[in-house]
């Protein structure tokens, strides 16, 4: 009798243990993406169009930051300096691809109420889930590499600090977002938007002074076979830059970020019309902000073409661009220390902007794929230290030779382009699945274009890797 009573007690204890573990697992699984800000911003119904758009605006700014980070600067300015306006068509194509993919990502978050990382972890086999997680973590490190290099060199140029010290000090921006989060998410969106407008104004001013060839600009937006390196000496370099521009423009981590922060606006999920409204205004916000990013990227390439064409071998680094803006032999009559200082300020603003979004994305990816939560500062510090290692090694070996760091940055952007299909394929698959998206499933033409983009990028990257290896 005592034996059975003891057995019953043990069984009940074990059942209670399993029940509690199940509850904890379900709570972790049902945890909202960026839970502290999920559904935190109210958008009343029945208000005018422009007021609704204003309240929905913000997530697009954080997404647009990734399309004008320091990685874009080298690839775009060098692209203009070496091939003049030829690669503008790549900037345009990249921006259109970005608009399509970001709309899918934002829609997935709003409709499915899970970000891309959570959706991947839930719907795909474990082996594929972990494979994709490794690839996106490497992409985050490559993105962080660009932020480290850009911010470090900007500090070096502005204040004259040793390059290694300037790079090491960027580790403290790990704590930047932690302080900003206490201000509220709308404040973060406002800060990011202000920095974007600062960058836009500076480059608009620089391009205005450079007096570019307007006819050449419009011709550059038309695709040409030379973009693929056909008919050009050292054609592989043109393709490398083109893929670098794509990798720097269409950022893999932005798809995960947007699918999460699109959920910051409150949506009445009992009302299908309110879900449609959220998707509609998310699309407006995303496309408007990405249009600004397209203008900035175009200005970067136009500046390289108008001021530095013919001097492409002299402006392969941030410091050489900075110095070129002071050099009468390169920048001509507009050369001045003031313009080079503006350039460095814009570079620093770009790097700090990217730090904010990189921190958020690191948390989204970690929680979504692995289903466990670490403090923001731990996630950010781990990512930043890993990104710092190759930069520190290069800085120690080559001292203040920034061009070596900039070469590292260009190849990090090419890696991002190679990593992009690993994010596009799952995104298109999920958003074209009626069981997941319901009535908001992708149109067939949109699904076709999404897969086509991923396949073409995969082929181009494979070709680039093979030709580089053979060479």
């Amino acid at each position: 009798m005592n034996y059975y009573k003891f057995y019953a007690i043990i069984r009940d204890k074990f059942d209670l243990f399993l029940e509690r573990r199940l509850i904890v697992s379900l709570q972790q699984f049902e945890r909202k993406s960026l839970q502290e800000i999920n559904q935190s911003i109210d958008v009343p119904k029945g208000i005018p169009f422009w007021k609704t758009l204003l309240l929905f605006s913000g997530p697009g700014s954080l997404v647009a930051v990734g399309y004008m980070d320091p990685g874009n600067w080298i690839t775009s300015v060098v692209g203009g300096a070496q091939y003049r306006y030829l690669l503008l068509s790549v900037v345009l194509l990249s921006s259109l691809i970005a608009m399509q993919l970001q709309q899918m990502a934002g829609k997935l978050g709003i409709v499915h109420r899970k970000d891309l990382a959570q959706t991947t972890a839930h719907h795909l086999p474990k082996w594929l889930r972990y494979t994709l997680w490794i690839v996106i973590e490497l992409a985050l490190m490559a993105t962080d590499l660009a932020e480290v290099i850009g911010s470090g060199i900007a500090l070096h140029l502005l204040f004259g600090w040793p390059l290694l010290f300037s790079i090491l000090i960027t580790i403290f921006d790990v704590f930047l977002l932690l302080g900003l989060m206490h201000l509220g998410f709308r404040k973060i969106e406002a800060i990011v938007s202000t920095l974007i407008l600062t960058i836009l104004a500076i480059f608009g001013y620089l391009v205005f002074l450079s007096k570019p060839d307007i006819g050449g600009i419009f011709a550059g937006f038309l695709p040409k076979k030379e973009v693929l390196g056909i008919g050009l000496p050292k054609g592989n370099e043109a393709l490398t830059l083109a893929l670098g521009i794509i990798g720097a423009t269409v950022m893999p981590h932005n798809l995960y970020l947007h699918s999460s922060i699109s959920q910051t606006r409150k949506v009445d999920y009992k009302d299908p019309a309110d879900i449609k409204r959220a998707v509609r205004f998310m699309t407006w916000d995303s496309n408007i902000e990405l249009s600004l990013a397209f203008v900035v990227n175009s200005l970067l390439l136009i500046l390289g073409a108008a001021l530095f064409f013919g001097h492409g071998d002299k402006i392969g680094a941030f410091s050489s661009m900075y110095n070129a803006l002071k050099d009468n032999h390169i920048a001509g009559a507009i050369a001045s220390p003031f313009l080079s200082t503006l350039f460095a300020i814009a570079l620093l603003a770009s790097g700090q902007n990217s730090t904010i979004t990189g921190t958020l994305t690191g948390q989204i990816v970690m929680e979504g794929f692995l289903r466990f939560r670490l403090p923001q500062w731990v996630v950010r510090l781990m990512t930043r230290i890993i990104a710092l290692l190759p930069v520190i090694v290069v800085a120690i070996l080559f001292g203040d030779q920034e061009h070596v760091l900039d070469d590292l940055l260009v190849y990090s952007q090419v890696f991002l382009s190679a990593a992009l299909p690993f994010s596009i394929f799952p995104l298109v698959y999920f958003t074209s699945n009626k069981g997941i998206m319901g009535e908001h499933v992708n149109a067939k033409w949109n699904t076709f274009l999404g897969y086509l983009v991923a396949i073409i990028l995969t082929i181009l990257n494979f070709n680039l890797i093979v030709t580089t290896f053979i060479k």
Side-chain angles (χ1 to χ4, degrees):
M1 182 66 179
N2 290 338
Y3 170 79
Y4 288 110
K5 187 175 182 180
F6 176 76
Y7 170 76
I9 292 172
I10 295 297
R11 183 193 60 197
D12 290 343
K13 292 286 186 183
F14 185 67
D15 288 345
L16 181 61
F17 170 77
L18 289 179
E19 183 179 349
R20 286 176 177 172
R21 291 298 300 168
L22 179 60
I23 290 172
V24 170
S25 298
L26 287 173
Q27 286 174 341
Q28 289 177 339
F29 178 72
E30 293 299 329
R31 183 180 179 87
K32 301 301 181 184
S33 183
L34 294 179
Q35 186 160 323
E36 59 274 18
I37 57 175
N38 192 282
Q39 299 283 301
S40 63
I41 299 170
D42 188 31
V43 184
K45 298 179 183 178
I47 59 177
F49 174 87
W50 291 110
K51 190 171 182 180
T52 305
L53 179 59
L54 182 63
L55 289 173
F56 270 100
S57 296
S61 299
L62 273 73
V63 169
V65 163
Y67 293 88
M68 57 181 83
D69 76 336
N72 295 67
W73 293 41
I74 289 293
T75 52
S76 294
V77 176
V78 171
Q82 292 189 2
Y83 300 101
R84 212 169 185 192
Y85 303 109
L86 174 68
L87 299 180
L88 277 174
S89 59
V90 179
V91 175
L92 175 60
L93 179 62
S94 299
S95 299
L96 293 175
I97 292 172
M99 289 180 184
Q100 177 202 27
L101 296 177
Q102 293 299 163
Q103 194 274 343
M104 287 185 188
K107 182 175 66 171
L108 175 68
I110 292 172
V111 175
H112 192 46
R113 305 181 71 176
K114 290 181 174 63
D115 60 52
L116 181 57
Q118 291 173 323
T119 307
T120 301
H122 180 56
H123 291 281
L124 296 185
K126 185 176 289 188
W127 68 269
L128 184 54
R129 162 186 158 195
Y130 285 117
T131 300
L132 294 176
W133 172 67
I134 291 171
V135 172
I136 190 59
E137 284 290 353
L138 291 173
L140 277 171
M141 291 169 195
T143 303
D144 214 40
L145 189 73
E147 297 165 18
V148 168
I149 293 173
S151 296
I153 292 178
L155 292 170
H156 170 67
L157 295 175
L158 284 170
F159 303 108
W161 298 337
L163 182 59
L164 182 58
F165 174 77
S166 299
I167 290 170
L168 287 173
I169 206 172
T170 63
I171 200 168
F172 291 106
D173 68 20
V174 168
F175 305 100
L176 176 64
L177 183 66
L178 302 180
L180 293 177
M181 287 294 281
H182 294 294
L183 301 177
F185 197 66
R186 286 293 278 174
K187 297 290 194 306
I188 293 176
E189 293 173 344
I191 291 169
V192 168
S193 297
T194 301
L195 291 174
I196 288 175
L197 291 176
T198 300
I199 296 167
L200 178 64
I202 288 174
F203 280 105
Y205 178 63
L206 291 175
V207 168
F208 172 76
L209 292 179
S210 68
K211 297 179 181 178
D213 177 5
I214 303 300
I217 292 172
F218 283 106
F221 285 119
L222 300 176
K224 299 178 179 64
K225 64 181 181 179
E226 287 82 4
V227 169
L228 300 176
I230 299 173
L232 289 177
K234 298 183 179 179
N236 195 51
E237 292 182 8
L239 180 58
T240 300
L241 272 174
L243 289 173
I245 289 173
I246 294 173
T249 304
V250 188
M251 304 287 278
H253 78 278
N254 263 343
L255 304 178
Y256 295 87
L257 176 67
H258 201 189
S259 64
S260 177
I261 61 176
S262 64
Q263 301 177 56
T264 54
R265 272 56 181 173
K266 288 183 180 177
V267 178
D268 181 2
Y269 282 96
K270 296 179 182 178
D271 182 4
D274 201 45
I275 300 175
K276 286 183 179 179
R277 180 184 75 144
V279 172
R280 177 190 174 200
F281 281 98
M282 173 277 300
T283 304
W284 272 97
D285 172 46
S286 177
N287 288 344
I288 289 171
E289 296 294 346
L290 289 177
S291 295
L292 287 177
F294 161 69
V295 172
V296 169
N297 287 326
S298 296
L299 290 174
L300 286 164
L301 194 142
I302 292 167
L303 182 69
L307 283 187
F308 306 136
F309 183 69
H311 303 280
D313 56 334
K314 299 177 182 178
I315 54 94
F318 285 126
S319 60
S320 56
M321 295 177 195
Y322 174 85
N323 292 326
L325 287 169
K326 297 187 293 184
D327 189 340
N328 293 325
H329 296 292
I330 297 178
I334 72 168
S336 74
F338 174 69
L339 294 185
S340 60
T341 300
L342 283 180
F343 175 85
I345 291 172
L347 179 60
L348 184 60
S350 176
Q352 293 309 298
N353 245 352
S354 299
T355 288
I356 295 174
T357 58
T359 302
L360 290 172
T361 309
Q363 182 181 344
I364 293 163
V365 169
M366 182 70 72
E367 291 183 14
F369 276 101
L370 302 185
R371 293 179 182 168
F372 71 87
R373 180 180 174 84
L374 289 174
Q376 280 187 350
W377 69 270
V378 173
V379 175
R380 185 59 179 163
L381 195 60
M382 288 169 54
T383 307
R384 175 52 56 94
I385 289 174
I386 293 172
L388 274 171
L389 289 177
V391 182
I392 291 173
V393 170
V394 170
I396 291 173
L397 292 177
F398 296 95
D400 285 352
Q401 298 180 45
E402 291 96 336
H403 68 89
V404 181
L405 287 176
D406 291 312
D407 288 342
L408 183 63
L409 192 150
V410 170
Y411 285 107
S412 76
Q413 301 309 298
V414 174
F415 172 78
L416 287 174
S417 182
L420 188 57
F422 290 89
S423 297
I424 297 178
F425 279 114
L427 176 65
V428 178
Y429 170 73
F430 294 136
T431 52
S432 60
N433 188 316
K434 193 172 180 62
I436 293 174
M437 301 300 295
E439 63 178 297
H440 298 279
V441 67
N442 292 337
K444 290 184 179 180
W445 64 267
N446 202 10
T447 298
F448 172 78
L449 284 179
Y451 281 128
L452 182 64
V453 165
I455 291 170
I456 291 175
L457 279 178
T458 302
I459 293 172
L460 288 175
N461 281 298
F462 179 76
N463 176 70
L464 177 64
I465 292 168
V466 169
T467 53
T468 302
F469 179 76
I470 292 175
K471 179 182 176 182

